[in-house]
Amino acid sequence: MRGIGRDPGANVATIFALSLPIIVGAAGLGVETSYWYYSSLKLQATADAAAYAGALEKIAGSDTATITAAATQSATDNGLGNGTINVHAPPTSGPNTAKKAVEVILNQNLDTVTLSAPTSGTYSGVLFYGDRTGTSATSTFNGTASSLLTGAIYFPKQQVNYLGNFSGSGGCTQVVADKIQWSGSTTIKQNCSSLGMKDIPSAQSVAIVE
């Protein structure tokens, strides 16, 4: 997610990036989605304040180290926590690279994400759904050891990148996609009978070994 804001006096540019354990590809996620949205707004405000603090130092003639320190201190004071910050003066890209601007990029991971598919209705057992007649795209799921996805991830026209360190042992996850990329220490179960779903059998293979 990226937002740009400018201060007319200091010509401040801020660029905001929020890394979530899961990039949401479907609606209806209730409280979790609301929490992510609230967190993104909060991080945007933190990025704006950090860029403004850095810009004040820049127009005062301070060096890069002092500008970076001011922006970092502002972000810390506003609750960045375990997130990361990158400060560029001037920005490395965009319309303000040649101006007296300060660019702040913040990244923050959100933990303990637990999502479950509905157990009744038309979309029973479906956690994420992509239109099978839609255009090709890519959906990426970045998890942590405490993340848990229960239900089917259905993106028949997309590539699904299932990354990170999902535990998944307390639920079940089925992935249906045009292409699937697995990475990290992911452990999942695919027996979703409790959700009214059938198992996805592993493909059998025959090989000559001697």
Side-chain angles (χ1 to χ4, degrees), residues 96-160:
N96 299 293
T97 55
K99 300 178 181 179
K100 293 183 178 180
V102 173
E103 175 186 65
V104 171
I105 301 174
L106 301 181
N107 294 277
Q108 188 175 58
N109 291 329
L110 302 180
D111 299 326
T112 61
V113 174
T114 302
L115 302 176
S116 297
T119 57
S120 62
T122 303
Y123 295 100
S124 174
V126 179
L127 183 59
F128 295 94
Y129 178 85
D131 188 351
R132 63 172 63 93
T133 64
T135 57
S136 60
T138 300
S139 293
T140 300
F141 298 83
N142 290 317
T144 65
S146 58
S147 300
L148 184 63
L149 300 182
T150 301
I153 298 173
Y154 182 78
F155 290 125
K157 285 287 188 176
Q158 298 187 23
Q159 173 172 322
V160 170

Side-chain angles (χ1 to χ4, degrees), residues 46 57-58 86 95 106 124-125 137 147 165 167-168 193 205:
T46 300
E57 292 293 339
K58 187 172 182 65
N86 290 291
L106 301 181
S124 174
S147 300
N165 297 296
S167 57
S193 57
S205 63

